[in-house]
Amino acid sequence: MVFESLVEKVVSRIQEELDTTFEVEASGRHIHLSQEALDHLFGPGYQLTKAKDLSQPGQYACEERLTLVGPRGSFQNVVILGPVRSASQVEVSATDCLTLGVKAPIRESGDINGSPGFVLVNGTRSLSVDQGLIVAKRHVHMTPEDAAKAGVSNHEIVQVQVYGERPLIFDDVVIRVSPQFATYMHIDYDEANAAGFKKGMRGRILKKN
Ligand SMILES: [Zn+2]
């Protein structure tokens, strides 16, 4: 009987762990394009070619790659994520900024007002965009159900403990809630390296108050 109750305890503990933690994904540098930018770089009416679905429903990595050019350095083969958006945007890490020679602000995706511009190159075609270079603010995408379970709301700032090889607590993590989302945390490669990231790493929200 004692053994049975111990097993039950362990099982309910494991279930609780799964309920309250989520997978953390590391995002490399990537490009979002408007249809206008796509037309300019690939030709009028060009359609992106899906290479791989991402964890967020409807989002995908494309076959097409571009060169991202900064004042000091550049990156080749930067992946484009689809579908097209209303405004072009490039997300890089703080380390990438040093290579490019430009200082990008830490922003939520889509919040690009006043951010630096960038240059994209596809073979002989190039496009200069006057704003949209950002370092993505670390965030947790959540379904409304998971947000309710965790007791957090859209745009709330929390801490997240991650269980990598170098466990750490990220502060200043923004919660983003939408029925369009699947529940995953997104960090960049600088943050992933700091945490000893491996695929499948999980995180847990620590409420600040
Ligand atoms: Zn994300």
Side-chain angles (χ1 to χ4, degrees):
M1 283 308 277
V2 172
F3 177 70
E4 233 171 76
S5 79
L6 182 66
V7 169
E8 272 168 26
K9 257 188 208 159
V10 169
V11 168
S12 82
R13 180 81 181 273
I14 290 168
Q15 193 53 49
E16 194 186 300
E17 286 280 317
L18 286 173
D19 283 351
T20 55
T21 66
F22 39 78
E23 187 171 344
V24 181
E25 293 180 317
S27 308
R29 71 185 75 95
H30 63 266
I31 299 164
H32 299 281
L33 292 178
S34 65
Q35 185 60 48
E36 194 187 357
L38 196 58
D39 291 349
H40 191 90
L41 285 161
F42 291 91
Y46 190 84
Q47 299 289 305
L48 290 166
T49 317
K50 185 195 287 190
K52 183 176 154 247
D53 282 313
L54 301 176
S55 63
Q56 295 306 309
Q59 306 292 305
Y60 51 91
C62 301
E63 300 281 1
E64 292 84 0
R65 303 291 165 115
L66 291 170
T67 299
L68 169 64
V69 182
R72 186 185 298 146
S74 62
F75 293 107
Q76 293 185 321
N77 290 314
V78 181
V79 67
I80 300 169
L81 301 189
V84 292
R85 291 191 172 188
S86 57
S88 298
Q89 173 179 307
V90 175
E91 295 175 44
V92 293
S93 69
T95 302
D96 290 344
C97 286
L98 298 178
T99 303
L100 292 167
V102 61
K103 187 152 172 40
I106 295 160
R107 295 278 184 85
E108 270 189 67
S109 185
D111 177 16
I112 58 170
N113 267 347
S115 61
F118 52 88
V119 172
L120 299 173
V121 177
N122 177 33
T124 57
R125 296 168 186 256
S126 76
L127 174 68
S128 179
V129 178
D130 63 356
Q131 63 177 13
L133 184 75
I134 62 168
V135 175
K137 189 180 177 85
R138 47 189 174 243
H139 55 279
V140 186
H141 295 271
M142 298 189 97
T143 62
E145 295 75 26
D146 286 342
K149 224 184 284 174
V152 294
S153 53
N154 196 27
H155 295 305
E156 188 170 342
I157 301 294
V158 298
Q159 293 182 328
V160 175
Q161 174 151 28
V162 297
Y163 303 93
E165 214 166 68
R166 308 162 75 187
L168 62 75
I169 295 169
F170 285 113
D171 202 346
D172 202 21
V173 181
V174 64
I175 299 289
R176 299 175 58 192
V177 183
S178 165
Q180 257 72 262
F181 290 157
T183 300
Y184 283 87
M185 180 176 185
H186 285 161
I187 56 177
D188 69 20
Y189 281 7
D190 285 354
E191 294 162 329
N193 286 332
F197 175 85
K198 281 204 180 77
K199 193 172 162 35
M201 182 173 89
R202 298 187 76 81
R204 178 201 302 280
I205 290 169
L206 306 174
K207 293 276 279 182
K208 291 196 76 177
N209 41 22

